[in-house]
Amino acid sequence: MRDTVLVLGGTGKTGRRVARQLAERRRPVKAASRSGEQFFDWQDSETWADAVEGVESVYVVDEQGPHAAELLADFAKLATRKEVRRFVLLSARAVEQWSHDESMFATERAVQESGVGWTILRPSWFAQNFSEEPLLSDGINAGELVLPLWTGSEPFINAEDIAAVAVAALTEDSHEGEIYRLSGPRLMTFGDCVKEISEATGREIRQVKASHEEYVEHLVQLGYPREIGDYVNGLFDTIRIGQTAYLSDGVQRVLGREPRDFSQYVAETLWPTPVPDQG
Ligand SMILES: NC(=O)c1ccc[n+]([C@@H]2O[C@H](COP(=O)([O-])OP(=O)(O)OC[C@H]3O[C@@H](n4cnc5c(N)ncnc54)[C@H](OP(=O)(O)O)[C@@H]3O)[C@@H](O)[C@H]2O)c1
């Protein structure tokens, strides 16, 4: 019986956890990416066939560029020929805030029209962004986080919970055709999160408020392209005006339990020890 799972983005925040949780259940896993144990590059379709060989289901972290949906549609054609049975797509709850923009749903549609069984996950912002996403973690580690907002709530979800839902959807038949909206159990501002991390680690983390323009300049100084600053400002705006201030019940529906609280994430994270000031 085929039971191998291909995990795309297998070295990323969610894929790494999906691969680990599958391995804990003794499922054969191919953790794939450009630096993963299974080489896979969205930009090089020659690398796809070997990855899908003998695979039953695929955890899909898409290419994240302007051609993500087209690449995913091409990948789906190959997967269908190779008799893959299921896709579980990592989308985002943010598509709902931008629902006036049809293009936001392009990758979801590519999966829905693929002919392969599908489940779509739409998570809120990840708690792990504070420790694993340089846009936030660099500031946390430096003791000074610059952001264009300190108010506006988001129900940060633990990536371990996203992975647990993904594992269920990848390995059980009952999730086919479902769109699961996933959030943590508590609405929190970025200020709340930084305060909790600061209290738990005993480290002072200064919260610096930047205007949109100052934030873009800050990111450019750090080496990010200007467009990233504009894009992230747009994401933050939806939080600031309250569009994301609601809880979702996907974790409860799939796992039959409450999602992990932010405090558990803070307690279980290995925060780096600050480098002593040499001056
Ligand atoms: N962060 C959040 O709060 C949040 C919230 C909702 C939804 N999301 C969605 O989450 C997705 C990102 O997932 P993630 O956070 O688990 O991953 P991630 O930590 O951003 O890592 C990206 C993964 O994709 C791989 N990758 C990058 N370019 C690739 C390429 N050309 N070909 C093959 N693999 C490539 C990377 O590995 P290599 O570099 O080794 O290739 C890595 O494994 C995005 O679609 C985002 O919209 C994020």
Side-chain angles (χ1 to χ4, degrees), residues 23-78:
E24 284 167 2
R25 292 179 170 212
R26 307 203 176 284
R27 272 284 178 143
V29 183
K30 294 186 189 184
S33 80
R34 294 164 305 178
S35 63
E37 59 197 35
Q38 171 71 48
F39 186 72
F40 181 94
D41 186 351
W42 277 113
Q43 306 293 346
D44 179 3
S45 57
E46 301 274 302
T47 66
W48 301 355
D50 188 41
V52 292
E53 197 61 55
V55 160
E56 182 197 37
S57 36
V58 184
Y59 178 69
V60 181
V61 174
D62 66 46
E63 189 260 349
Q64 296 172 50
H67 304 296
E70 291 150 51
L71 290 170
L72 187 43
D74 288 345
F75 176 73
K77 281 184 203 141
L78 171 71

Side-chain angles (χ1 to χ4, degrees), residues 115-128:
V116 179
W118 56 266
T119 306
I120 291 170
L121 311 184
R122 288 186 185 163
S124 59
W125 275 59
F126 307 166
Q128 275 78 3

